[in-house]
């Protein structure tokens, strides 16, 4: 499968997940069943996107980088701590320079859903990051890279990633998106950024749940 077809199918199933009952807060949470249904839609879309990725001819420059599985996992786990530090640093910049408030409405909304339907954490911590990494770090970047410089492609993709989250914290999400790209570029494997992204989301949600219970 070519990168063009990969991009079409990957974006299609990603959007399909987003417009599922609770998908990305497009609809209000009306019950545990709706949230669980959305979680299943996220997981199903993530699996399909993963299969699409496996059937894609991966001839980009990153695939030439050979990194062992152990190093790939190591970079992914180290990336979790680095991404948390980056997120805190960018939050401070937003507060001091741009006078934005701390906290993310998007994260708070997701935490509220997880409280009602614990199964939804699978969508946020696993399926969501998998889909977003394949869409924004693999498909979109390499699609744009057919015409544009790889760095410009990564910047555009990171901006789209930030806009998608829709809560005004463009510096945070854009910076994180670009950091995930650097991890992918360093190891030559999209699975590195998936590990970091999924791990970061898990830590953030668990922290939010802990704070809300205290």
């Amino acid at each position: 499968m070519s990168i063009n077809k990969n991009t079409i199918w990957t974006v299609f199933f990603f959007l399909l997940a987003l417009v599922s009952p609770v998908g990305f807060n497009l609809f209000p949470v009306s019950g545990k069943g709706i949230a669980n249904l959305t979680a299943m839609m996220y997981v199903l879309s993530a699996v399909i996107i993963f299969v699409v990725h496996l059937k894609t001819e991966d001839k980009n420059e990153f695939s030439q980088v050979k990194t062992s599985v152990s190093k790939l996992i190591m970079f992914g786990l180290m990336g979790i701590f680095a991404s948390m530090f980056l997120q805190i640093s960018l939050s401070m910049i937003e507060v001091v320079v741009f006078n934005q408030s701390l906290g993310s409405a998007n994260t708070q909304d997701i935490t509220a859903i997880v409280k009602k339907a614990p199964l939804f954490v699978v969508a946020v911590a696993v399926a969501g990051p998998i889909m977003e990494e394949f869409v924004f770090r693999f498909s979109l970047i390499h699609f744009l890279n057919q015409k544009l410089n790889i760095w410009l492609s990564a910047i555009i993709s990171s901006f789209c990633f930030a806009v998608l989250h829709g809560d005004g914290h463009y510096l945070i999400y854009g910076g994180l998106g670009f950091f995930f790209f650097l991890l992918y570029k360093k190891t030559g494997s999209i699975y590195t950024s998936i590990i970091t992204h999924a791990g970061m989301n898990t830590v953030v949600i668990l922290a939010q749940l802990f704070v809300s219970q205290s």
Side-chain angles (χ1 to χ4, degrees), residues 56-93:
T56 301
E57 295 180 62
D58 191 359
K59 295 182 179 179
N60 65 79
E61 63 178 275
F62 298 171
S63 64
Q64 306 305 314
V65 179
K66 301 301 179 183
T67 303
S68 66
V69 174
S70 59
K71 285 188 177 181
L72 185 155
I73 295 174
M74 181 188 71
F75 274 109
L77 294 177
M78 290 174 60
I80 297 173
F81 298 99
S83 64
M84 295 301 299
F85 177 77
L86 177 63
Q87 187 172 12
I88 293 171
S89 301
L90 294 177
S91 295
M92 292 300 101
I93 294 175

Side-chain angles (χ1 to χ4, degrees), residues 90 154-155 158-159 161-162 169-179:
L90 294 177
I155 290 172
S158 299
F159 175 75
F161 177 69
H169 292 282
Y170 301 117
L171 181 61
I172 292 176
Y173 289 113
L176 286 171
F178 195 77
F179 175 68

Side-chain angles (χ1 to χ4, degrees), residues 14 24 75-81 83-84 87 106 123-137 161 164-165 173 176-177 179-181 183 190-205:
F14 178 58
F24 221 76
F75 274 109
L77 294 177
M78 290 174 60
I80 297 173
F81 298 99
S83 64
M84 295 301 299
Q87 187 172 12
N106 182 47
V124 180
V126 182
I130 288 174
M131 290 191 293
E132 289 177 350
E133 290 309 301
F134 281 131
V135 170
F136 295 102
R137 250 60 68 188
F161 177 69
L164 176 78
H165 286 79
Y173 289 113
L176 286 171
F179 175 68
F180 296 149
F181 157 74
L183 284 173
I190 193 67
Y191 302 121
T192 308
S193 60
I194 288 177
I195 292 172
T196 294
H197 193 164
M200 184 197 72
N201 277 22
T202 301
V203 171
V204 169
I205 293 301

